[in-house]
Amino acid sequence: MKLQRKNRLRALSLGAVAVSGALALTACGSDDNGSGSGNPSTAAKAGSIKCDDAKGQLLADGSSAQKNAIDAWVKNFSQACGVQINYKGGGSGAGVTAFTQGQVAFAGSDSALKPEEVTASKSVCKGGQGIDLPMVGGPIALGYNVPGVDNLVLDAPTIAKIFDSKITKWNDPAIAALNKGVKLPDLKIQAFHRSDESGTTDNFTKYLIATTPDNWKYSGGKAWQAKGGQSAPQSAGVAQQVKQTSGAIGYFELSYVKDGIKSVSINTGASKPVAPSSESATADIAAAQVVGTGKDLSLKLDYKTKAEGAYPITLVTYEIVCDKGNKADTLPATKAFLRYIAGEDGQKILPSIGYAPVPDEIIAKVRTTVEGLS
């Protein structure tokens, strides 16, 4: 945890220089997310949030990865504008479904809309369609609970074999070769994955498909496909299982790495293994390319990076909203909220709660798009 704190503090100081705007991913909604007014790093300046005609309440659902970021943003926005926002955080799959069925004003997803989902959104977005706005980014940490092991290094092939039940003991020779001098116990590996459809699963498996296709022969997607292992719902559920299970490992956002959970450093082929942090995720996300068309700003991430200090298992969480055809009663509040979270005050919260900033060039496009929503 000391290492984790150092990484986060370094990310705060470097984030303002290297990347303003932000991408970040996060965590446990029931825990203190540091968004209280007593924390200057997360509290918005009085009067800095532009409410316009925002009123009433907004319903939203989706990515649990960004739940801690949304919670911090909602607290600040609601205090400033008096708008109630209920974000369920039921997972990316649930969020996209709720959006295409017209049940929510916006959704959060760690994966961009698929073509068929865009088509489905047109029945809800009258005269328009659903678009992806990258708002939060950060590392997908591999959290583990192995007694006596405080530092653990893994690489893509070993990770794939662990989560495909091909490596089943922590003292396996493949793990030992990556951790010379570390006393690894003769302990069964308990690998946990998401039970619900999840963009975190999608991004984690995209990393395995890109880096070690010979060891990960699944097609990928939001639903878990590999055999074996154990499952739990949402990032918080996986993190809880890892925390309470000796020998466990699971994947979730950095903000869930706490209370006895440690994170794996990844051997990417760089000069030294890379630990997950806001800084190391930003180093990878900065190389992302916009691949969306029109007002859609979906990104392509570099999972195969070998750049020094770049953490390869990252994700970007999108807010999904109609470009045109938003409901008249929720549009003012939706625009005001998205304007705040894409703005400087909203984005600068992210590193302090385990997320990484969205690069300037990309977040500038997000801000322009938000202003044009109708």
Side-chain angles (χ1 to χ4, degrees):
M1 292 307 293
K2 288 183 179 179
L3 176 60
Q4 208 65 51
R5 287 189 178 181
K6 287 181 180 178
N7 282 335
R8 293 182 187 180
L9 288 173
R10 278 202 303 160
L12 276 170
S13 61
L14 291 175
V17 177
V19 189
S20 68
L23 288 165
L25 304 170
T26 189
C28 324
S30 62
D31 292 333
D32 178 12
N33 54 32
S35 60
S37 58
N39 186 338
S41 66
T42 59
K45 296 178 182 178
S48 65
I49 296 177
K50 187 178 178 183
C51 301
D52 286 345
D53 298 321
K55 59 183 178 180
Q57 67 175 20
L58 295 178
L59 297 179
D61 195 4
S63 166
S64 65
Q66 67 169 7
K67 181 76 164 60
N68 281 355
I70 291 287
D71 285 349
W73 284 331
V74 165
K75 183 172 183 177
N76 289 339
F77 183 79
S78 296
Q79 287 176 345
C81 301
V83 176
Q84 179 183 352
I85 301 177
N86 180 6
Y87 182 81
K88 293 175 63 178
S92 297
V96 171
T97 298
F99 179 77
T100 56
Q101 293 179 352
Q103 299 172 357
V104 293
F106 69 91
S109 177
D110 311 330
S111 299
L113 290 168
K114 297 178 180 178
E116 61 268 26
E117 293 168 340
V118 173
T119 299
S121 74
K122 293 180 179 180
S123 64
V124 175
C125 307
K126 303 302 182 183
Q129 65 181 47
I131 56 173
D132 301 286
L133 301 179
M135 208 72 77
V136 179
I140 300 174
L142 292 173
Y144 70 95
N145 177 359
V146 181
V149 179
D150 294 327
N151 296 290
L152 183 68
V153 175
L154 297 175
D155 59 9
T158 308
I159 293 167
K161 292 173 185 177
I162 286 173
F163 281 90
D164 199 25
S165 303
K166 301 292 176 57
I167 292 178
T168 60
K169 288 289 189 73
W170 279 111
N171 62 348
D172 187 276
I175 300 176
L178 292 164
N179 295 273
K180 297 185 184 302
V182 177
K183 187 176 181 180
L184 298 166
D186 182 11
L187 178 67
K188 182 180 178 181
I189 295 175
Q190 307 280 357
F192 285 89
H193 57 264
R194 290 281 289 271
S195 60
D196 55 320
E197 289 200 355
S198 162
T200 309
T201 294
D202 190 17
N203 284 274
F204 175 53
T205 55
K206 280 179 179 176
Y207 161 74
L208 296 175
I209 292 168
T211 55
T212 183
D214 290 344
N215 295 298
W216 195 261
K217 298 182 180 296
Y218 303 98
S219 60
K222 291 189 180 77
W224 185 256
Q225 297 172 323
K227 304 298 187 292
Q230 302 178 63
S231 65
Q234 284 89 53
S235 292
V238 175
Q240 180 62 29
Q241 290 299 318
V242 171
K243 177 182 176 180
Q244 66 188 24
T245 306
S246 180
I249 186 171
Y251 57 91
F252 34 76
E253 292 65 46
L254 181 61
S255 58
Y256 292 96
V257 178
K258 54 186 176 181
D259 300 333
I261 300 175
K262 300 178 180 67
S263 61
V264 171
S265 293
I266 307 297
N267 182 342
T268 64
S271 63
K272 60 182 179 179
V274 185
S277 69
S278 296
E279 178 188 359
S280 62
T282 296
D284 182 56
I285 294 169
Q289 296 178 326
V290 176
V291 293
T293 58
K295 294 183 178 180
D296 186 273
L297 296 174
S298 54
L299 304 176
K300 181 179 180 181
L301 300 172
D302 182 10
Y303 299 104
K304 299 172 72 174
T305 182
K306 294 182 180 180
E308 297 296 328
Y311 185 79
I313 319 178
T314 57
L315 65 79
V316 173
T317 295
Y318 303 97
E319 309 314 323
I320 296 171
V321 67
C322 297
D323 58 353
K324 298 178 182 179
N326 290 278
K327 294 179 181 178
D329 58 338
T330 59
L331 178 60
T334 299
K335 285 186 68 171
F337 181 65
L338 294 180
R339 179 187 298 119
Y340 160 56
I341 68 177
E344 182 180 349
D345 283 344
Q347 289 286 297
K348 73 181 180 183
I349 289 174
L350 296 172
S352 66
I353 50 177
Y355 296 98
V358 179
D360 278 348
E361 182 180 351
I362 297 172
I363 203 66
K365 293 178 181 179
V366 173
R367 292 166 184 162
T368 299
T369 302
V370 168
E371 295 305 324
L373 298 178
S374 62

